[in-house]
Every structure is written in structure tokens, then in C-alpha cells.
Amino acid sequence: MKRFENKICFITGAGSGIGKATALSFSREGGKVVLCDIDEKNALNTKDEVLAQGGEAMVIALDISNGAAVKKAIEQTVATYGRLDCAANIAGVAGPVSKRIHEYPEEFWHQQINVNLTGTWYCMKYQLGQMLKNGGGNIVNLSSAAGLIAQPENAPYAASKHGVVGLTRTAAKEYATDNIRVNAICPTAIETPMIMEGRRKLAHNEDARQAAINFQAMKRMGTPQEIADVILWLCSDRSSFITGIALAADGGAMA
Ligand SMILES: NC(=O)c1ccc[n+]([C@@H]2O[C@H](COP(=O)([O-])OP(=O)(O)OC[C@H]3O[C@@H](n4cnc5c(N)ncnc54)[C@H](O)[C@@H]3O)[C@@H](O)[C@H]2O)c1
């Protein structure tokens, strides 16, 4: 029997990078996947790939910073599949500029806090409510190494990702006797559109790309699949005594 046979798995950020790899992995292991992303077109592409590998999926166009929309997305999930077993809160943004705090534009502070922190809180709020109703579940939140240490010139990202760790640890304590586990993953550089084409544009700047590679003791970036594998492990019974951790997945960077 597959690890996630008939489990209902809700994934945000499912249209790209780590979220897409996680959705395809849950599906390969038998899960029915709910693919949420603000970019509906990319989420539909992920759905095509899920169907092509013989899986079952539904797409929800979702902005996680809209609480009413998140509530509705959980309701839609339960209306379709009857329950919610696993949630991977992966959607996030890194902001478009690199500046110290005194020069940092207010607009992008609010954007990152609204999506990464408030959005993750909305997801957890409605997921936890449903998991209580269906007798348990597993939540994994995508924080970052910037949830554990500084990220110079991107304070809102570091603040929002530290916040995700605080939410994770608090939820783990609050629901530990309800058969609900809540954990966070804190990766360093993972090769996805966010870092290759986003703020740091590593695909177009060889010096920056080498610096990103050298940050890891392994002298390489991680792959989306390597993070998906950790998410699935944390959602599986093989990690049944683990809740409230902020797990660095970092090629030895923090060591
Ligand atoms: N790539 C890295 O090096 C790295 C390192 C540490 C943490 N992370 C975190 O991992 C997560 C996934 O990042 P990724 O690298 O796969 O990036 P990505 O840009 O490839 O994917 C992020 C996805 O989130 C979606 N999204 C953005 N805002 C949204 C919103 N408001 N509502 C719903 N969906 C939204 C995007 O459309 C996109 O599909 C993020 O939370 C990111 O902060 C990434």
C-alpha cells in the first residue's frame, strides 16, 4: 500500500518549485491532491502532470493572504473529498528588492508579511479547524533558513519566516493531544524560479549563483524534490513522534 493512499493533501504554492514537486510526490504515493496557487494557470499545469501520472487532483485559484478565500478553499476541499489529512503550506514571496531596513519600501514589507505570515496563519486556522473535526492530521509549513538566522537586505522575509516558526511551534503545543502534528522546514538555497528569476536573479548573475552555492557545505543548491521528500516524511507515520520542529534542510550550511 502506498504511504498516502486515499489521503487528502492540500498544497499551497502548488503551481511552481517546491509546491509543485510536493504535489506530484503526494500524488505518486497515492494522495488526492488539492492544488492551490494564486497563479491558476500554473496550478492547472501541475494538475495535468498529476493526471498524466495516474493521480487525482483539483485546482483552487487561491490568494492565501485573503482569509475568506482560504476558508472557502478548505470548505471546497471538504465538500469534494470529505476530509483533510495533510496540509503543506508552501506558497510564499521573497520581495523584489534588496535593501537595508532604513531604505526598505513599506509596500514590500506588507506584501511579505501578508502572504508569508498572515497567509500561513489563515491556512493553519482553517486547516486545524477541519483536522479537529476529522480526528487528526499533519501540517508542514515552509519557513526558510531565514526563519532561523538573518537575511541581510531582506528583513521582511526574515521576519515573516521567523514568524512561521513561531506559529508552527505554538500550534504544535496547542494541538499535540488532538492527533495533529505541525512542523516547519527551513531550507537554504533551493533551485526554483523564486531564486533563479526573483529578487536575486541567480540565473543571470554568475557571482551571485556561486555565492548561493557556496553557502551550503555541500557546495550545491538543493532540489525541490529534496524538500518535497522531507515534507512527505513529516506528513507520514514514519515521523510520528515529531511535532513542533523547525528542520533545517540546508546541505550542512548551519552546521
Ligand atoms: N527556493 C528557495 O531557495 C527557498 C528557500 C527557503 C524557503 N523557500 C520557501 O519555499 C516556498 C516555495 O518557494 P519556491 O522556491 O518553490 O518558489 P516559487 O516562486 O517557485 O513558488 C512559489 C509559489 O507560490 C505561489 N504564490 C505566491 N504568492 C501566493 C499567494 N498569495 N497565494 C497563493 N499562492 C501564492 C506562486 O504563484 C508560486 O507558484 C516559499 O514559501 C519560499 O519562501 C524557498
Side-chain angles (χ1 to χ4, degrees), residues 13-19 36-39 42 62-65 90-93 115-116 142-145 157 161 187-195:
S16 177
I18 296 167
C36 304
D37 205 294
I38 198 167
D39 187 329
N42 276 349
L62 175 65
D63 176 355
I64 60 164
S65 69
I90 300 174
V93 290
V115 175
N116 298 350
L142 232 303
S143 176
S144 166
Y157 188 76
K161 294 299 190 178
T188 49
I190 308 301
E191 195 165 345
T192 69
M194 177 180 278
I195 62 167

Side-chain angles (χ1 to χ4, degrees), residues 138-169:
N138 263 294
I139 296 178
V140 175
N141 295 322
L142 232 303
S143 176
S144 166
L148 301 172
I149 60 173
Q151 185 161 102
E153 302 199 326
N154 206 8
Y157 188 76
S160 64
K161 294 299 190 178
H162 274 72
V164 168
V165 171
L167 278 175
T168 301
R169 289 180 172 145

Side-chain angles (χ1 to χ4, degrees), residues 15-27:
S16 177
I18 296 167
K20 180 173 186 171
T22 301
L24 290 167
S25 297
F26 271 129
S27 168

Side-chain angles (χ1 to χ4, degrees), residues 84-152:
L84 174 64
D85 298 297
C86 303
N89 295 320
I90 300 174
V93 290
V97 298
S98 301
K99 287 189 186 296
R100 292 196 292 165
I101 290 170
H102 72 286
E103 296 175 320
Y104 200 91
E106 226 176 282
E107 170 192 1
F108 302 130
W109 164 268
H110 290 300
Q111 179 206 28
Q112 288 177 81
I113 297 297
N114 288 347
V115 175
N116 298 350
L117 183 54
T118 309
T120 300
W121 180 73
Y122 283 139
C123 288
M124 292 172 71
K125 177 176 168 63
Y126 296 109
Q127 290 158 358
L128 286 161
Q130 177 55 38
M131 286 175 178
L132 282 174
K133 284 186 203 157
N134 58 228
N138 263 294
I139 296 178
V140 175
N141 295 322
L142 232 303
S143 176
S144 166
L148 301 172
I149 60 173
Q151 185 161 102

Side-chain angles (χ1 to χ4, degrees), residues 38-73:
I38 198 167
D39 187 329
E40 188 178 17
K41 191 165 159 278
N42 276 349
L44 286 166
N45 287 339
T46 303
K47 181 180 176 185
D48 287 345
E49 292 189 36
V50 167
L51 299 184
Q53 64 184 25
E56 190 173 335
M58 71 185 271
V59 166
I60 301 179
L62 175 65
D63 176 355
I64 60 164
S65 69
N66 177 338
V70 173
K71 179 171 186 280
K72 201 168 145 215

